[in-house]
Amino acid sequence: MSYLLESENLVEQVKAIPGGEMLMMCYSCGTCTSKCMIQEKLEPNYNPRRLIRETVFNLENMAFADETTWLCTACDLCFPACPQKIHISGVITAVKQLAVAQGLKNPYQTAVVDVSTCVACGLCEQVCPYEAVKLVEKKVPFRGLITVAEVDPGKCMACGMCSAACRSTSIRLNQEYNDAEIVQNLWSWLESEAMA
Amino acid sequence: MVDAARQPLIDIKAYTEVEKVEGFVGNFKVTLREKAKYVRADRCNGCNACTVACPVEIPNYFEMNLAPRKAIYVPMSQSVPLVYTIDMDACIHCYKCVEACGALEAIDFSMEDKIVEEDYGAIVVATGFGHFDPTPMTEYGYGRFPNVITAMEMERLNNSAGPTRGSFIRPSDSTRPKRLAIINCVGSRDKRYNTSCSNFCCMYAIKNALLLKQMHPDMDISIYYIDIRTPSKGYEEFYDRARESGIRFIQGRPAEITEDPDTHQLFIKSEDITLGRVIEREYDLVMLNQAAVPQPDQNHMSTVLNVAQSPGGWYMEYHPKLRPIDSPTDGIFFAGACQGPKDIPASVAQGSAAAARASRILHSETWQIEPTVAVVWPDRCVSADGKACGICERSCPYGAIDYEKGKAAVVITAKCHGCGACVGECPHDSITQLHYTDAQVLSQIHTLLAIEPEKKIVAFRCQWCSYGGADLAGTSHFEYSANERGLRVMCSARMDADLIYEAYRLGAGAVLYSGCHPQDCHYITGQITGAKRAARLEKMFERLGMSPGRFRTEWISAAEGEKYARVINEMQAALDAIPEEDLKAEIERLKPEMEKKLNKLNDIPGVEEAMIQVDFIVNEMLNKEVPV
């Protein structure tokens, strides 16, 4: 079982990242899981408590493969309910950052930048609630060394704020809910309303 | 209660408040406020006619406000003494009760509170605990949803003398609930409200569940818990019985209770930890097992009794393991949950123990204390010259020092436990501690550092922990540097800065400042006082340019012999790392600094003579040939 391969110091690594310090205080009461909207509306197997357990036992592969790592939106509904005052989304983000640092890709949504059209206006950087978008200087094919926006997949929660704010449609989510799709959905909904 | 009332040597003072406690063990002077009942105890026969006549109805706190009571009342029918009381906040002065009382003439509206002063030899505090109000935990809806009740309300609903005469009904529609949920740890083990575990709730939930299951076998009962804690004798068997009888135990702390507003049915959402899935279940009635918290007036009583409080607000015992019944003040004892949440067997045990402890005082003519008490030199105390000081009073963990500006500080000997914190803290050396006077300790330092002082490690050890640790290192044959010279004082708080300066002035190679771990201090806050001073000293020596490792602070318990040996060896290694010439040069460089700090040392009574004598004796001994 490759799942049970333990990492030496996952706990220490998570605790070193701001937000993950309180990890070991969890006594597994399950309040976070039963508060969670993602668990309720989207993915019944989603379970922050289980992710914390996996992290506590240094089960790195298991934690990185857990959908909980990738689906959290940091809405922080669980944080005020936690009797141990653990910032759960902080722990999840820390695990996610470690996973991304190991080269893992988010199997679900994440924002992507179209560097061929980005004008580096910085709107996306301003609106991002998770500080996941930064303006960086880098080499872009056909455009040379210029400043463009870059998404940190370890921090991105796929909320789509950047996509909505962008004036040159250069940043969007990589799977669903791109501008064209939303506009089309909107039209079809309007048409059905008009027909009724 | 009735038995206690009949016992001629027991005087029950009900409806009485303690206003002031003065004095010390064996000689407490207690000021009591006997509140006016407006009913004369010598005439009232408890016939209840006044209560029947009274037209005022207000919520009855004894029934958790589930039933009304009158303005003239007894809290419950078994009250001892059975004397009625008029609640003047509710009374409308219609005097119907006076009419009803008739020829007995027991009701007297002219009564007033009486202040009385009584002498007592010992005091047992048994003020109990309060209940956490779950209203702020909005997720459980207490106060919003009629069918969410607390454990105490449930206790009254299920009581045959309670408001429903023992028929167990739910508040919204007075029907008998079929599905009942009990939620544990409401407000306890919760960093947002009370961090600690309330001790008895697990058993309490199981007891209530079993009781209801016996009366109503068809009732479906679930207990939500984080951990079930059944540590005492017979408790686990009780838990077994509950599972056997069909009570469902769900591990998982409920996140939310929602209600159907039409039927007032409740829905509890929680994760079932064992399934790893979120479950939502429907219930007719939900009981919250709320946390046990200190009484609302516990802070006030702690100042009246001059008894410290532990974190969380409970009264603090003398020592959590060895003296859990005694308060830090001699002659004051704790019984029951006022000292920390505990269940009935533990409360009864502590109550009996407290009574035994108290009777020890009542049956002795004299009371022995440790002889190491503090004594003030009134002529040296700056407070007598009208200067504001009071440092000794603030440093005393027992409130044994009376400080008043304009008068020399006074040590109440019977309250003093002999830690020496005041002696260490006094900036004017106006207090001394018998058997550990400055002259005595300085003589020891002089003797220990008589030969080759730069090679020596002077280890200041506290009597209770680090001295024991050193002892254990010896008896366990742990090897440590033979250059260590141990020196015992009662507490790290007694390790006066002057003593450490003197050691360095005499050329000591290194000094260890050791004592108990903060939670183990035998003198409540002594270690804290000592640790603050050690931190101050460390900073100062660093500023003076002392080599690192020559002054070290370590907290070593009596069980840590290995640590004591390790610390001394590490200090020896640090000392060895400094070249001898450098060390000697450093000692010479720091000598004037130390002398500057010690310029008033010889003013302390007895010190100068002691120093002359000890130096004479040491020199005599060194000149003599030692017989082999």
Side-chain angles (χ1 to χ4, degrees), chain A residues 100 110-114 124 128 131-136 138 148-158 162 170-173:
Chain A
V100 169
T110 183
V112 287
V113 180
D114 184 350
C124 47
C128 179
E131 297 177 354
V133 190
K134 288 261 158 5
L135 291 183
V136 292
K138 67 175 176 188
V148 285
E150 193 180 66
V151 177
D152 177 356
K155 288 181 177 168
C156 177
M157 298 279 182
C162 49
S170 307
I171 190 164
R172 59 179 180 80
L173 298 180

Side-chain angles (χ1 to χ4, degrees), chain A residues 27 29 34 40 80 83-84, chain B residues 189 191-192 253 269 271:
Chain A
Y27 58 27
C29 68
S34 36
E40 191 177 317
Q84 291 296 313
Chain B
R189 299 186 72 198
K191 295 224 164 70
R192 300 167 299 168
R253 189 176 164 280
K269 212 171 96 177
E271 190 196 350

Side-chain angles (χ1 to χ4, degrees), chain B residues 280-322:
Chain B
E280 190 164 20
R281 292 169 63 88
E282 185 184 345
Y283 295 99
D284 301 331
L285 186 72
V286 172
M287 177 189 125
L288 306 180
N289 235 338
Q290 80 267 52
V293 292
Q295 289 279 23
D297 59 350
Q298 195 126 352
N299 293 351
H300 168 70
M301 277 315 287
S302 112
T303 42
V304 169
L305 293 162
N306 193 17
V307 165
Q309 286 166 289
S310 323
W314 308 99
Y315 291 134
M316 191 159 77
E317 61 288 315
Y318 192 104
H319 189 275
K321 280 172 269 180
L322 304 174

Side-chain angles (χ1 to χ4, degrees), chain B residues 416-460:
Chain B
C416 179
H417 286 241
C419 61
C422 51
V423 190
E425 283 293 285
C426 180
H428 310 285
D429 295 311
S430 315
I431 310 182
T432 191
Q433 184 184 12
L434 299 185
H435 302 278
Y436 288 93
T437 65
D438 282 339
Q440 284 172 320
V441 182
L442 287 169
S443 304
Q444 289 183 57
I445 296 174
H446 273 243
T447 318
L448 295 177
L449 294 174
I451 314 168
E452 293 189 315
E454 71 281 356
K455 288 188 180 161
K456 301 290 186 298
I457 300 166
V458 179
F460 286 90

Side-chain angles (χ1 to χ4, degrees), chain B residues 373-594:
Chain B
V373 290
V375 181
V376 179
W377 283 301
D379 52 322
R380 288 178 63 83
C381 182
V382 292
S383 171
D385 306 337
K387 285 178 191 151
C389 181
I391 291 172
C392 50
E393 191 194 30
R394 285 197 295 277
S395 68
C396 181
Y398 302 97
I401 297 185
D402 265 352
Y403 159 76
E404 206 180 315
K405 203 177 156 186
K407 283 184 194 162
V410 178
V411 176
I412 304 160
T413 310
K415 278 189 177 177
C416 179
H417 286 241
C419 61
C422 51
V423 190
E425 283 293 285
C426 180
H428 310 285
D429 295 311
S430 315
I431 310 182
T432 191
Q433 184 184 12
L434 299 185
H435 302 278
Y436 288 93
T437 65
D438 282 339
Q440 284 172 320
V441 182
L442 287 169
S443 304
Q444 289 183 57
I445 296 174
H446 273 243
T447 318
L448 295 177
L449 294 174
I451 314 168
E452 293 189 315
E454 71 281 356
K455 288 188 180 161
K456 301 290 186 298
I457 300 166
V458 179
F460 286 90
R461 312 168 181 157
C462 91
Q463 145 90 8
W464 304 101
C465 293
S466 45
Y467 199 90
D471 247 0
L472 187 68
T475 50
S476 320
H477 298 261
F478 293 137
E479 276 185 27
Y480 61 87
S481 167
N483 291 334
E484 184 255 15
R485 293 290 180 273
L487 202 152
R488 174 167 66 174
V489 287
M490 293 307 281
C491 177
S492 50
R494 172 68 185 92
M495 296 165 195
D496 200 329
D498 287 351
L499 305 175
I500 289 148
Y501 299 148
E502 179 71 0
Y504 282 125
R505 189 186 72 80
L506 292 171
V511 171
L512 171 69
Y513 191 110
S514 67
C516 306
H517 290 281
Q519 68 276 18
D520 293 340
C521 183
H522 280 58
Y523 298 111
I524 314 173
T525 55
Q527 192 271 353
I528 296 169
T529 310
K532 274 188 195 155
R533 189 184 309 134
R536 248 187 348 254
L537 286 171
E538 241 166 52
K539 235 182 231 164
M540 179 203 293
F541 292 144
E542 200 186 320
R543 209 180 57 235
L544 289 176
M546 188 181 280
S547 306
R550 284 191 61 205
F551 182 76
R552 185 157 171 180
T553 315
E554 278 298 337
W555 310 120
I556 300 166
S557 84
E560 292 175 324
E562 180 276 329
K563 184 178 175 185
Y564 189 83
R566 178 163 49 81
V567 166
I568 294 295
N569 284 335
E570 280 170 15
M571 287 184 77
Q572 181 64 48
L575 207 53
D576 289 343
I578 310 169
E580 204 179 331
E581 308 83 63
D582 291 6
L583 181 63
K584 278 187 175 161
E586 188 180 308
I587 289 169
E588 286 307 314
R589 183 166 58 77
L590 291 178
K591 211 169 188 175
E593 295 280 351
M594 297 298 157

Side-chain angles (χ1 to χ4, degrees), chain B residues 123-427:
Chain B
I123 297 170
V124 176
V125 186
T127 49
F129 64 96
H131 301 104
F132 170 72
D133 174 10
T135 319
M137 300 184 79
T138 47
E139 62 263 42
Y140 290 161
Y142 178 71
R144 269 187 303 146
F145 306 149
N147 291 334
V148 176
I149 61 170
T150 64
M152 284 311 285
E153 286 169 1
M154 143 109 191
E155 199 67 44
R156 293 319 298 165
L157 283 175
N158 199 23
N159 191 300
S160 60
T164 56
R165 296 274 169 262
S167 79
F168 185 56
I169 53 169
R170 65 176 197 161
S172 72
D173 52 9
S174 303
T175 54
R176 188 162 71 74
K178 294 254 164 15
R179 292 163 63 85
L180 167 75
I182 299 175
I183 300 178
N184 276 359
C185 298
V186 176
S188 48
R189 299 186 72 198
D190 191 327
K191 295 224 164 70
R192 300 167 299 168
Y193 306 102
N194 303 290
T195 331
S196 61
C197 166
S198 289
N199 183 308
F200 49 78
C201 319
C202 285
M203 285 307 285
Y204 183 72
I206 299 173
K207 180 219 81 169
N208 270 343
L210 259 175
L211 203 68
L212 286 168
K213 195 83 185 171
Q214 272 165 7
M215 286 198 289
H216 316 290
D218 59 326
M219 196 182 279
D220 178 294
I221 303 173
S222 304
I223 297 177
Y224 286 84
Y225 68 98
I226 306 173
D227 300 293
I228 287 282
R229 296 182 167 178
T230 55
S232 291
K233 189 167 119 181
Y235 287 14
E236 186 66 24
E237 289 81 345
F238 198 61
Y239 179 28
D240 279 352
R241 232 176 83 201
R243 290 200 310 280
E244 213 174 6
S245 67
I247 293 158
R248 198 179 285 108
F249 286 83
I250 302 174
Q251 184 171 20
R253 189 176 164 280
E256 205 168 18
I257 299 178
T258 44
E259 188 199 38
D260 180 339
D262 300 327
T263 57
H264 295 293
Q265 289 295 97
L266 300 163
F267 301 88
I268 298 182
K269 212 171 96 177
S270 82
E271 190 196 350
D272 187 303
I273 304 291
T274 31
L275 281 179
R277 282 283 191 280
V278 173
I279 52 170
E280 190 164 20
R281 292 169 63 88
E282 185 184 345
Y283 295 99
D284 301 331
L285 186 72
V286 172
M287 177 189 125
L288 306 180
N289 235 338
Q290 80 267 52
V293 292
Q295 289 279 23
D297 59 350
Q298 195 126 352
N299 293 351
H300 168 70
M301 277 315 287
S302 112
T303 42
V304 169
L305 293 162
N306 193 17
V307 165
Q309 286 166 289
S310 323
W314 308 99
Y315 291 134
M316 191 159 77
E317 61 288 315
Y318 192 104
H319 189 275
K321 280 172 269 180
L322 304 174
R323 292 178 73 176
I325 297 139
D326 305 355
S327 84
T329 310
D330 271 349
I332 299 183
F333 306 97
F334 301 126
C338 64
Q339 177 246 340
K342 49 178 75 65
D343 59 2
I344 296 168
S347 298
V348 170
Q350 200 183 13
S352 307
R357 297 290 263 189
S359 73
R360 231 162 49 116
I361 294 172
L362 301 186
H363 289 98
S364 51
E365 289 293 313
T366 54
W367 188 247
Q368 285 189 0
I369 55 166
E370 293 285 327
T372 55
V373 290
V375 181
V376 179
W377 283 301
D379 52 322
R380 288 178 63 83
C381 182
V382 292
S383 171
D385 306 337
K387 285 178 191 151
C389 181
I391 291 172
C392 50
E393 191 194 30
R394 285 197 295 277
S395 68
C396 181
Y398 302 97
I401 297 185
D402 265 352
Y403 159 76
E404 206 180 315
K405 203 177 156 186
K407 283 184 194 162
V410 178
V411 176
I412 304 160
T413 310
K415 278 189 177 177
C416 179
H417 286 241
C419 61
C422 51
V423 190
E425 283 293 285
C426 180

Side-chain angles (χ1 to χ4, degrees), chain A residues 151-190:
Chain A
V151 177
D152 177 356
K155 288 181 177 168
C156 177
M157 298 279 182
C159 63
M161 289 270 274
C162 49
S163 177
C166 183
R167 295 191 181 171
S168 57
T169 55
S170 307
I171 190 164
R172 59 179 180 80
L173 298 180
N174 65 345
Q175 286 174 15
E176 292 164 351
Y177 306 115
N178 57 35
D179 285 0
E181 213 172 294
I182 293 173
V183 169
Q184 199 187 347
N185 282 341
L186 204 59
W187 272 117
S188 61
W189 176 74
L190 278 172

